[in-house]
Amino acid sequence: AQRGFAYLATDTGLLRWNVVTQSFTTPLLSGFSLRGIDLTTDGSTLLAGSAGLSGGQLQLHRVDLATGQVATVLVPAQPGETTVWDVVAMANGRALFTTLSSAFAPVRELRLADNAVTVRTDHPNAVLQLTTPTNVVRSADGSRAWFAVANDSNGPMFTYDATSNSFPASRNLGDFLFSSMLSLSRDG
């Protein structure tokens, strides 16, 4: 995998910043309006969610950073869904992603070994209202993720544990989390 790069999702593609030369290199995914991005914990693959649908399907792009090859995983959209909003690549070979929706949308799991996508129904908010997006971050080691549901006056938040492949904790903050930013410690 390429090292020494920072990646930026934009409305026109994926920009790559070379931290050694302090310059942009050839962009990837040109022409795609991108949202959430994350690197796998080994740094070999970048995942990027796309704004908009393709033939009624959500688009999640996988970029092999050693070759630059792109594979797009298409996921049937539920009514109201328009965009893969945020994504986290976990240490257990799974990625979890959320979508932007005018209705209700689930948390989905992408199995990295074979690109199989499933809906996760075992988390505390089994149906997330995403008229304003749900943000998710992960720890640097990929052991834990943290979700914050924005468009809910209860302010629900919950965690995901990669070792047990479960959602062990949830809390309500009692307020909308529209502009909340998240961060986790290195080991979750």
Side-chain angles (χ1 to χ4, degrees), residues 100-133:
L100 186 61
S101 177
S102 62
F104 295 95
V107 170
R108 288 187 179 84
E109 173 186 295
L110 170 70
R111 198 169 52 219
L112 297 171
D114 60 8
N115 290 338
V117 175
T118 56
V119 171
R120 294 296 299 251
T121 59
D122 57 332
H123 60 84
N125 293 49
V127 177
L128 301 178
Q129 186 173 351
L130 299 177
T131 53
T132 297

Tab-separated table of all heavy atoms in Angstrom, residues 100-133:
chain	number	residue	atom	x	y	z
A	100	LEU	N	-27.493	8.733	3.696
A	100	LEU	CA	-28.320	9.927	3.798
A	100	LEU	C	-29.682	9.558	3.237
A	100	LEU	O	-29.786	8.954	2.175
A	100	LEU	CB	-27.693	11.053	2.983
A	100	LEU	CG	-28.340	12.423	3.077
A	100	LEU	CD1	-28.294	12.946	4.509
A	100	LEU	CD2	-27.633	13.392	2.150
A	101	SER	N	-30.733	9.935	3.973
A	101	SER	CA	-32.069	9.525	3.582
A	101	SER	C	-33.084	10.562	4.024
A	101	SER	O	-32.884	11.259	5.015
A	101	SER	CB	-32.412	8.175	4.223
A	101	SER	OG	-33.718	7.789	3.914
A	102	SER	N	-34.179	10.632	3.284
A	102	SER	CA	-35.287	11.491	3.697
A	102	SER	C	-36.284	10.704	4.538
A	102	SER	O	-37.296	11.242	4.966
A	102	SER	CB	-35.989	12.068	2.465
A	102	SER	OG	-36.538	11.008	1.696
A	103	ALA	N	-35.994	9.447	4.750
A	103	ALA	CA	-36.881	8.581	5.528
A	103	ALA	C	-36.035	7.848	6.574
A	103	ALA	O	-35.272	8.457	7.295
A	103	ALA	CB	-37.597	7.610	4.598
A	104	PHE	N	-36.179	6.552	6.633
A	104	PHE	CA	-35.412	5.734	7.567
A	104	PHE	C	-34.421	4.894	6.790
A	104	PHE	O	-34.715	4.448	5.689
A	104	PHE	CB	-36.343	4.831	8.377
A	104	PHE	CG	-37.255	5.607	9.272
A	104	PHE	CD1	-38.533	5.938	8.867
A	104	PHE	CD2	-36.823	6.018	10.518
A	104	PHE	CE1	-39.381	6.655	9.690
A	104	PHE	CE2	-37.655	6.746	11.348
A	104	PHE	CZ	-38.930	7.066	10.938
A	105	ALA	N	-33.263	4.667	7.373
A	105	ALA	CA	-32.229	3.886	6.702
A	105	ALA	C	-31.465	3.060	7.727
A	105	ALA	O	-31.243	3.505	8.840
A	105	ALA	CB	-31.284	4.804	5.957
A	106	PRO	N	-31.045	1.869	7.347
A	106	PRO	CA	-30.332	1.000	8.285
A	106	PRO	C	-28.829	1.257	8.298
A	106	PRO	O	-28.290	1.926	7.428
A	106	PRO	CB	-30.607	-0.390	7.700
A	106	PRO	CG	-30.661	-0.141	6.220
A	106	PRO	CD	-31.323	1.206	6.065
A	107	VAL	N	-28.169	0.693	9.284
A	107	VAL	CA	-26.716	0.543	9.260
A	107	VAL	C	-26.456	-0.703	8.431
A	107	VAL	O	-27.110	-1.740	8.626
A	107	VAL	CB	-26.135	0.369	10.677
A	107	VAL	CG1	-24.667	-0.019	10.618
A	107	VAL	CG2	-26.330	1.627	11.499
A	108	ARG	N	-25.524	-0.601	7.501
A	108	ARG	CA	-25.182	-1.754	6.673
A	108	ARG	C	-23.750	-2.186	6.946
A	108	ARG	O	-22.906	-1.391	7.349
A	108	ARG	CB	-25.345	-1.421	5.193
A	108	ARG	CG	-26.777	-1.290	4.753
A	108	ARG	CD	-26.838	-1.141	3.231
A	108	ARG	NE	-28.180	-1.022	2.723
A	108	ARG	CZ	-28.876	0.116	2.671
A	108	ARG	NH1	-28.348	1.234	3.127
A	108	ARG	NH2	-30.081	0.133	2.156
A	109	GLU	N	-23.510	-3.471	6.671
A	109	GLU	CA	-22.174	-4.047	6.819
A	109	GLU	C	-21.700	-4.541	5.459
A	109	GLU	O	-22.449	-5.194	4.738
A	109	GLU	CB	-22.241	-5.225	7.793
A	109	GLU	CG	-20.947	-6.004	7.900
A	109	GLU	CD	-21.115	-7.237	8.759
A	109	GLU	OE1	-21.382	-7.085	9.965
A	109	GLU	OE2	-20.990	-8.350	8.206
A	110	LEU	N	-20.468	-4.204	5.120
A	110	LEU	CA	-19.800	-4.734	3.933
A	110	LEU	C	-18.739	-5.712	4.411
A	110	LEU	O	-17.847	-5.335	5.186
A	110	LEU	CB	-19.141	-3.603	3.133
A	110	LEU	CG	-18.206	-4.025	2.003
A	110	LEU	CD1	-19.003	-4.651	0.863
A	110	LEU	CD2	-17.387	-2.840	1.512
A	111	ARG	N	-18.853	-6.963	3.988
A	111	ARG	CA	-17.824	-7.947	4.310
A	111	ARG	C	-16.702	-7.771	3.291
A	111	ARG	O	-16.921	-7.959	2.090
A	111	ARG	CB	-18.416	-9.352	4.294
A	111	ARG	CG	-17.583	-10.370	5.021
A	111	ARG	CD	-18.308	-11.684	5.219
A	111	ARG	NE	-18.855	-12.177	3.961
A	111	ARG	CZ	-20.040	-12.761	3.837
A	111	ARG	NH1	-20.811	-12.927	4.890
A	111	ARG	NH2	-20.460	-13.189	2.669
A	112	LEU	N	-15.529	-7.377	3.733
A	112	LEU	CA	-14.444	-7.008	2.841
A	112	LEU	C	-13.899	-8.182	2.029
A	112	LEU	O	-13.376	-7.977	0.934
A	112	LEU	CB	-13.324	-6.330	3.626
A	112	LEU	CG	-13.734	-4.998	4.285
A	112	LEU	CD1	-12.639	-4.502	5.212
A	112	LEU	CD2	-14.081	-3.970	3.233
A	113	ALA	N	-14.031	-9.394	2.510
A	113	ALA	CA	-13.505	-10.557	1.794
A	113	ALA	C	-14.231	-10.817	0.479
A	113	ALA	O	-13.620	-11.247	-0.496
A	113	ALA	CB	-13.582	-11.799	2.682
A	114	ASP	N	-15.552	-10.523	0.441
A	114	ASP	CA	-16.318	-10.866	-0.757
A	114	ASP	C	-17.328	-9.799	-1.204
A	114	ASP	O	-18.136	-10.044	-2.087
A	114	ASP	CB	-17.040	-12.200	-0.557
A	114	ASP	CG	-18.008	-12.183	0.615
A	114	ASP	OD1	-18.254	-11.113	1.200
A	114	ASP	OD2	-18.528	-13.265	0.957
A	115	ASN	N	-17.278	-8.626	-0.579
A	115	ASN	CA	-18.181	-7.509	-0.910
A	115	ASN	C	-19.655	-7.788	-0.636
A	115	ASN	O	-20.526	-7.083	-1.153
A	115	ASN	CB	-18.014	-7.050	-2.362
A	115	ASN	CG	-16.702	-6.366	-2.598
A	115	ASN	OD1	-16.077	-5.871	-1.661
A	115	ASN	ND2	-16.264	-6.324	-3.840
A	116	ALA	N	-19.957	-8.784	0.180
A	116	ALA	CA	-21.351	-9.054	0.542
A	116	ALA	C	-21.839	-7.962	1.489
A	116	ALA	O	-21.126	-7.568	2.419
A	116	ALA	CB	-21.481	-10.422	1.210
A	117	VAL	N	-23.040	-7.467	1.239
A	117	VAL	CA	-23.619	-6.400	2.057
A	117	VAL	C	-24.849	-6.939	2.774
A	117	VAL	O	-25.697	-7.591	2.159
A	117	VAL	CB	-24.003	-5.181	1.194
A	117	VAL	CG1	-24.711	-4.118	2.021
A	117	VAL	CG2	-22.767	-4.596	0.528
A	118	THR	N	-24.915	-6.661	4.067
A	118	THR	CA	-26.083	-7.047	4.856
A	118	THR	C	-26.539	-5.858	5.690
A	118	THR	O	-25.763	-4.953	5.964
A	118	THR	CB	-25.773	-8.231	5.800
A	118	THR	OG1	-24.666	-7.875	6.633
A	118	THR	CG2	-25.443	-9.502	5.031
A	119	VAL	N	-27.803	-5.887	6.081
A	119	VAL	CA	-28.353	-4.877	6.979
A	119	VAL	C	-28.157	-5.373	8.402
A	119	VAL	O	-28.471	-6.518	8.724
A	119	VAL	CB	-29.855	-4.646	6.690
A	119	VAL	CG1	-30.487	-3.760	7.752
A	119	VAL	CG2	-30.031	-4.036	5.303
A	120	ARG	N	-27.623	-4.507	9.267
A	120	ARG	CA	-27.442	-4.854	10.671
A	120	ARG	C	-28.697	-4.443	11.430
A	120	ARG	O	-29.066	-3.274	11.450
A	120	ARG	CB	-26.218	-4.133	11.240
A	120	ARG	CG	-24.893	-4.571	10.653
A	120	ARG	CD	-24.556	-6.023	10.943
A	120	ARG	NE	-24.447	-6.325	12.343
A	120	ARG	CZ	-23.318	-6.602	12.984
A	120	ARG	NH1	-22.168	-6.599	12.325
A	120	ARG	NH2	-23.326	-6.879	14.264
A	121	THR	N	-29.343	-5.402	12.037
A	121	THR	CA	-30.568	-5.127	12.794
A	121	THR	C	-30.366	-5.332	14.294
A	121	THR	O	-31.321	-5.295	15.060
A	121	THR	CB	-31.717	-6.029	12.316
A	121	THR	OG1	-31.318	-7.395	12.484
A	121	THR	CG2	-32.065	-5.752	10.864
A	122	ASP	N	-29.116	-5.534	14.711
A	122	ASP	CA	-28.836	-5.855	16.106
A	122	ASP	C	-28.294	-4.683	16.912
A	122	ASP	O	-27.833	-4.856	18.027
A	122	ASP	CB	-27.845	-7.026	16.175
A	122	ASP	CG	-26.545	-6.760	15.438
A	122	ASP	OD1	-26.551	-5.966	14.462
A	122	ASP	OD2	-25.522	-7.350	15.804
A	123	HIS	N	-28.349	-3.468	16.380
A	123	HIS	CA	-27.852	-2.324	17.141
A	123	HIS	C	-28.999	-1.644	17.882
A	123	HIS	O	-30.168	-1.874	17.588
A	123	HIS	CB	-27.098	-1.338	16.236
A	123	HIS	CG	-27.897	-0.774	15.133
A	123	HIS	ND1	-28.725	0.305	15.277
A	123	HIS	CD2	-28.022	-1.165	13.844
A	123	HIS	CE1	-29.301	0.568	14.134
A	123	HIS	NE2	-28.902	-0.309	13.250
A	124	PRO	N	-28.682	-0.773	18.843
A	124	PRO	CA	-29.712	-0.171	19.694
A	124	PRO	C	-30.767	0.642	18.943
A	124	PRO	O	-31.897	0.725	19.379
A	124	PRO	CB	-28.923	0.736	20.642
A	124	PRO	CG	-27.563	0.162	20.663
A	124	PRO	CD	-27.338	-0.420	19.301
A	125	ASN	N	-30.415	1.242	17.826
A	125	ASN	CA	-31.366	2.005	17.017
A	125	ASN	C	-31.505	1.281	15.686
A	125	ASN	O	-31.016	1.751	14.669
A	125	ASN	CB	-30.866	3.433	16.789
A	125	ASN	CG	-30.842	4.232	18.045
A	125	ASN	OD1	-30.332	3.771	19.053
A	125	ASN	ND2	-31.402	5.411	18.007
A	126	ALA	N	-32.170	0.146	15.680
A	126	ALA	CA	-32.193	-0.728	14.505
A	126	ALA	C	-32.659	-0.040	13.234
A	126	ALA	O	-32.327	-0.472	12.155
A	126	ALA	CB	-33.036	-1.967	14.777
A	127	VAL	N	-33.396	1.025	13.348
A	127	VAL	CA	-33.717	1.835	12.178
A	127	VAL	C	-33.308	3.272	12.509
A	127	VAL	O	-33.795	3.848	13.468
A	127	VAL	CB	-35.219	1.778	11.827
A	127	VAL	CG1	-35.522	2.698	10.661
A	127	VAL	CG2	-35.634	0.357	11.509
A	128	LEU	N	-32.391	3.810	11.728
A	128	LEU	CA	-31.889	5.156	11.979
A	128	LEU	C	-32.578	6.148	11.056
A	128	LEU	O	-32.666	5.935	9.866
A	128	LEU	CB	-30.387	5.217	11.716
A	128	LEU	CG	-29.533	4.288	12.544
A	128	LEU	CD1	-28.081	4.426	12.130
A	128	LEU	CD2	-29.685	4.596	14.015
A	129	GLN	N	-33.065	7.236	11.602
A	129	GLN	CA	-33.622	8.291	10.779
A	129	GLN	C	-32.479	9.188	10.337
A	129	GLN	O	-31.799	9.787	11.148
A	129	GLN	CB	-34.650	9.114	11.547
A	129	GLN	CG	-35.351	10.121	10.682
A	129	GLN	CD	-36.472	10.812	11.418
A	129	GLN	OE1	-36.828	10.427	12.519
A	129	GLN	NE2	-37.032	11.819	10.801
A	130	LEU	N	-32.255	9.248	9.035
A	130	LEU	CA	-31.081	9.932	8.515
A	130	LEU	C	-31.433	11.100	7.610
A	130	LEU	O	-30.780	11.337	6.610
A	130	LEU	CB	-30.196	8.944	7.743
A	130	LEU	CG	-29.653	7.782	8.548
A	130	LEU	CD1	-28.855	6.846	7.667
A	130	LEU	CD2	-28.805	8.269	9.687
A	131	THR	N	-32.490	11.844	7.915
A	131	THR	CA	-32.765	13.026	7.108
A	131	THR	C	-31.618	14.014	7.236
A	131	THR	O	-31.359	14.781	6.347
A	131	THR	CB	-34.098	13.681	7.499
A	131	THR	OG1	-34.093	13.912	8.898
A	131	THR	CG2	-35.265	12.795	7.112
A	132	THR	N	-30.951	14.001	8.343
A	132	THR	CA	-29.650	14.617	8.507
A	132	THR	C	-28.733	13.460	8.870
A	132	THR	O	-29.113	12.587	9.631
A	132	THR	CB	-29.663	15.679	9.622
A	132	THR	OG1	-30.563	16.709	9.236
A	132	THR	CG2	-28.297	16.245	9.844
A	133	PRO	N	-27.536	13.371	8.366
A	133	PRO	CA	-26.755	12.130	8.410
A	133	PRO	C	-26.354	11.645	9.802
A	133	PRO	O	-26.270	12.418	10.740
A	133	PRO	CB	-25.516	12.473	7.602
A	133	PRO	CG	-25.448	13.946	7.601
A	133	PRO	CD	-26.845	14.449	7.721
